[in-house]
Amino acid sequence: MSAEWRAAMQERTAGVALRLSRVPRLLLILIFAALVILGLAGPGLVGAIPLLLIAAFVGWLLLLGWDQRAPVERLIRLAVLLVIVGFAVYKLV
């Protein structure tokens, strides 16, 4: 993944990041918790969709902060992303 592509992605999604920074943290935590609970408790596609939404968000954050992280931190965050995607795939199977 090139630095230019990552910079372009950061520019394109800067508005989304700015809007998310204005949302009360408690609301974001509650939405995230609701998605996790629905994802883990929901059967099949009902559980997979919230997990994939969480994975997309985590992947986006991983992409935006890639340059600022040490290699070990990148690996841990990538592992978390893969675990979430793994749970989503498990729900679909």
Side-chain angles (χ1 to χ4, degrees), residues 1 6 61-70 74 78:
M1 183 173 356
R6 196 168 24 258
L61 292 178
L62 178 66
L63 174 74
L64 292 180
W66 189 262
D67 291 338
Q68 293 83 25
R69 303 288 173 232
R74 293 176 191 167
L78 188 59

Side-chain angles (χ1 to χ4, degrees), residues 1-91:
M1 183 173 356
S2 70
E4 297 87 23
W5 184 82
R6 196 168 24 258
M9 180 62 77
Q10 287 173 340
E11 277 186 39
R12 276 187 247 134
T13 61
V16 175
L18 183 61
R19 282 189 292 267
L20 279 176
S21 71
R22 293 180 179 157
V23 175
R25 289 185 193 256
L26 181 60
L27 180 61
L28 290 176
I29 292 169
L30 291 174
I31 291 170
F32 190 80
L35 287 172
V36 168
I37 291 169
L38 182 61
L40 294 177
L45 194 59
V46 173
I49 289 175
L51 291 175
L52 290 173
L53 288 173
I54 292 170
F57 183 71
V58 169
W60 176 61
L61 292 178
L62 178 66
L63 174 74
L64 292 180
W66 189 262
D67 291 338
Q68 293 83 25
R69 303 288 173 232
V72 172
E73 292 175 324
R74 293 176 191 167
L75 184 62
I76 292 170
R77 290 170 190 240
L78 188 59
V80 169
L81 178 61
L82 292 175
V83 167
I84 295 168
V85 171
F87 273 118
V89 169
Y90 175 75
K91 289 286 186 173

